[in-house]
Amino acid sequence: MRESTRGQLLAALLRQRPASRKQLAAATGISPATVSRTVDHLIADGLVVEGESLVEERRGRRQVLLDIVAHDRLALGIDLGGSRTRCVLVDLTGAPLASIEQSTPVDLPAVDLARWIAGLARQSAGERWAAVRAVGIGLPGAVSENPRTVSNAPNLPQIEDPAFLRTCVEAVGRPLVVDNDANDALLGEQRFGAAAGHASAAMVTLGAGLGVGLAVDGRVVRGRRGLVGEFGQLPFGPGGERLETRVTGPAIAARGREAGIDLDDPATLFRPGAAGPASEIRRDFDHALVTALTAVAVACDPDTIVLGGGIAKSLRDDLPMYQERLTATLHVAPTLVHTALGDFAGAAGAAVGALHVAYGELDIPDGELVDLPAAGSLTRQALDATQ
C-alpha cells in the first residue's frame, strides 16, 4: 500500500509540478494525512523537494509547493537509422539535457555496431552517465519480445543477428528498452509533439525505409512478433512488388537510375515542374503513398497521421493534396500533419520508453504511464537548444 501511494503521488507530481500537498490529495483522492506522511518520506529519500509557499485565498493559509528532484535520475533515447543516428538525454521529467546526431556506420558488423551504439550512449551522457537509469533504442526493423529478436531490417540487416542485441545489452550496461523506430517516433509525437492529446494516432516515416507506428487508446500497438505497422511489406502494383519499393529514398534513387536520371537526392523528385521520367516516378510515388496512408487509416482509424522522416520534409507543401486524395478515398479521413519534433521524434520516443523503466523503479504503477512524462517537458525549441 505504501509503495502504491508513493507511486501515485510521484505520478501526480510529474503531471502537475510544482504542487502542494493539498493539490496532490485532490488530484489522487488520497487522504491529506496519508499524502503528508508519504511526502515526508519522499523528501527524506531525496525524490521531492520543498520550494516556494502558495497563499490560499481563504484565511490566508500558506501551502508549500513541492517538486520532483529531476537531475539524479536520467534516461537516454537513441534512434538508430539507416543513415543517421540521434540521441537525446532527458531528466526525470522528460526535459532534454543533451542531444547529438552522427552518421550511422552502416558497414560495421553486428557486434561492432552494438559497441558503437554503447560508446555513443556514453558520449551523449558524458559526465552524467552514472545517473542514467535506462536506455531506449529505436531500430529500423520489426522487434519481437520473448525472445527479443529483430527482423525485416533491409537497411541495416546486421541488426537481425542475435549477437547485435546481446552485445547491446552487455555493452550498454543499463536496462535496455528496444522498439521499432516508427513506434518510438509515434510515442515521441504523442507525448510531446503533433499527436499530443490524441489517444488514437499513427506515425508514417519516409526515409531510408517506410515505417509506421499505430496507437489505440493511448498505447502503441506492437503485436507478438513486432510486425504491426510493417506496411512496407504489402504488395503493390501489377508486379506485386513491396510497397516500400516505391516510397523510400533508396527506391527513388534506384528508379531514377533505371530511367537514366539522377534522383540520388530524393528531394529532386519533389521540386516543381518535374517532367518526363521524373513525373512518372512522382505519380507512382504519390499513388503508393496514398495507398499506404489508406492502409494506415483503415488499420486503426486514427484521429491523426503524423508524417516524418527525410522525404516527408519535401512534402510539406503537398500535404493538402494528400489529404484531399485520402478523404476522397475514405470520405471520413484522419488529419494529416507534419512532425513537430522533426528528426528527433524517434530519439524522444525512445527516451520515453527508458523513462518508464526509471518510473517503475520509483513504484509508479504501469497504469499511470500512459500520459507520462507530461506534455510540454520536451519541445523542439528545447531540443534545438541542447545541440
Side-chain angles (χ1 to χ4, degrees), residues 18-52:
S20 67
R21 287 170 170 81
K22 181 177 180 180
Q23 289 170 332
L24 291 176
T28 60
I30 300 171
S31 72
T34 301
V35 168
S36 187
R37 286 195 303 270
T38 306
V39 165
D40 288 341
H41 287 299
L42 291 171
I43 292 173
D45 290 342
L47 295 172
V48 170
V49 64
E50 291 182 320
E52 299 177 355

Side-chain angles (χ1 to χ4, degrees), residues 210-214 227-235 242-244 291-292 294-300:
L210 168 63
V212 178
L214 307 175
L227 292 175
V228 173
E230 292 295 320
F231 292 96
Q233 307 304 314
L234 293 174
R242 291 181 297 113
L243 187 61
E244 196 168 46
T291 299
T294 303
V296 170
V298 300
C300 69

Side-chain angles (χ1 to χ4, degrees), residues 75-309:
L76 182 68
I78 302 175
D79 179 19
L80 178 66
S83 59
R84 306 288 291 177
T85 296
R86 301 171 178 93
C87 306
V88 61
L89 180 72
V90 300
D91 69 15
L92 198 60
T93 70
L97 303 175
S99 61
I100 62 174
E101 178 179 359
Q102 291 190 9
S103 296
T104 303
V106 295
D107 295 329
L108 288 180
V111 170
D112 291 340
L113 182 60
R115 289 173 178 161
W116 177 81
I117 290 171
L120 189 63
R122 286 174 170 79
Q123 178 185 342
S124 302
E127 296 178 352
R128 294 174 284 200
W129 175 249
V132 173
R133 311 301 299 181
V135 175
I137 302 180
L139 301 176
V143 179
S144 173
E145 292 289 344
N146 300 320
R148 185 188 283 179
T149 59
V150 181
S151 62
N152 294 286
N155 295 308
L156 282 177
Q158 64 268 51
I159 70 175
E160 298 184 25
D161 185 337
F164 170 76
L165 285 180
R166 185 171 61 248
T167 305
C168 278
V169 172
E170 295 169 354
V172 169
R174 295 287 190 276
L176 197 64
V177 181
V178 183
D179 204 347
N180 170 264
D181 54 0
N183 288 346
D184 277 341
L186 173 58
L187 187 57
E189 292 290 343
Q190 275 197 301
R191 294 303 327 121
F192 310 118
H198 295 288
S200 176
M203 181 85 195
V204 174
T205 60
L206 299 164
L210 168 63
V212 178
L214 307 175
V216 177
D217 295 333
R219 295 187 179 275
V220 176
V221 181
R222 295 177 175 86
R224 291 186 298 113
R225 291 177 292 273
L227 292 175
V228 173
E230 292 295 320
F231 292 96
Q233 307 304 314
L234 293 174
F236 177 77
E241 298 91 351
R242 291 181 297 113
L243 187 61
E244 196 168 46
T245 64
R246 292 294 186 271
V247 294
T248 67
I252 291 171
R255 297 203 68 198
R257 288 191 293 270
E258 292 172 1
I261 56 177
D262 182 7
L263 294 177
D264 287 347
D265 178 5
T268 305
L269 182 66
F270 305 103
R271 292 170 184 159
S279 64
E280 181 180 346
I281 295 173
R282 175 64 196 269
R283 282 194 299 270
D284 204 20
F285 173 93
D286 290 340
H287 179 46
L289 180 55
V290 172
T291 299
L293 294 173
T294 303
V296 170
V298 300
C300 69
D301 193 17
D303 297 322
T304 187
I305 299 177
V306 184
L307 269 66

